Amino acid sequence: MLSIGTKAPNFTLPDQNGELHTLEDYRGKKVILYFYPKDNTPGCSKQACGYSENLPHFTEKGAVVLGISKDSVASHKKFEEKYGLRFPILSDPERTVIESYDVWHEKKNYGKVTMGVVRTTYLIDEDGMIAAANDKVKTADDAEKMLGILG
């Protein structure tokens, strides 16, 4: 996980519609950047729906929400349509951004060790600096927790 107070790495990735998003484009706004393991899994779906339902509250606080996983643009499109998601979900199949944000790590699941995305949420401030970071994400509460951090 990246340290609070460090500059957030810039990136350019396609969303579920194939449109490119660059972090620099959001300068002047707060960005909730959350990394999740896989589309259409119970925890990831719960987390995405929490952000979608709370999107008006984030907008009121001057923040945008961006989700990132290594799933394809096509997978993200199905995920968006299935749950009616209302924010960009960015595709990083080469894990370039996932690794630059230090969220690709060894994970243990039922005794099996694999590499994967460690669910992590960052708050990036208007100047592109990491203002908050959480790698102990509870999927059902992540959106509310980040709203509380925004104040």
Side-chain angles (χ1 to χ4, degrees):
M1 183 168 69
L2 300 179
S3 300
I4 293 170
T6 60
K7 183 160 180 51
N10 196 26
F11 59 81
T12 301
L13 290 174
D15 68 10
Q16 65 269 33
N17 299 309
E19 295 174 21
L20 295 178
H21 293 258
T22 299
L23 181 60
E24 197 63 33
D25 294 342
Y26 295 101
R27 185 61 61 103
K29 291 187 177 211
K30 295 177 182 117
V31 176
I32 303 296
L33 185 66
Y34 82 93
F35 292 87
Y36 66 97
K38 189 152 183 54
D39 291 342
N40 290 305
T41 56
C44 296
S45 300
K46 191 177 290 184
Q47 185 179 22
C49 288
Y51 276 111
S52 194
E53 289 162 12
N54 284 289
L55 195 60
H57 302 297
F58 285 104
T59 303
E60 284 170 13
K61 295 176 185 261
V64 297
V65 174
L66 302 172
I68 297 180
S69 84
K70 64 184 189 69
D71 292 311
S72 68
V73 168
S75 175
H76 283 346
K77 187 65 181 173
K78 288 178 191 162
F79 189 40
E80 172 204 41
E81 289 172 349
K82 181 174 181 180
Y83 292 101
L85 304 178
R86 302 179 295 161
F87 59 90
I89 313 165
L90 309 181
S91 176
D92 187 19
E94 286 83 37
R95 300 191 321 260
T96 309
V97 178
I98 288 168
E99 290 184 23
S100 72
Y101 277 81
D102 194 29
V103 298
W104 185 255
H105 291 279
E106 191 175 271
K107 297 165 69 171
K108 289 183 181 145
N109 194 15
Y110 301 111
K112 185 179 174 191
V113 177
T114 59
M115 292 298 290
V117 171
V118 174
R119 193 182 304 279
T120 305
T121 304
Y122 289 102
L123 168 60
I124 301 169
D125 71 16
E126 296 89 342
D127 298 318
M129 304 299 284
I130 295 176
N134 178 22
D135 66 353
K136 306 275 188 270
V137 174
K138 290 185 175 29
T139 58
D141 305 331
D142 193 35
E144 288 83 3
K145 179 174 182 162
M146 294 312 291
L147 278 170
I149 290 171
L150 282 170

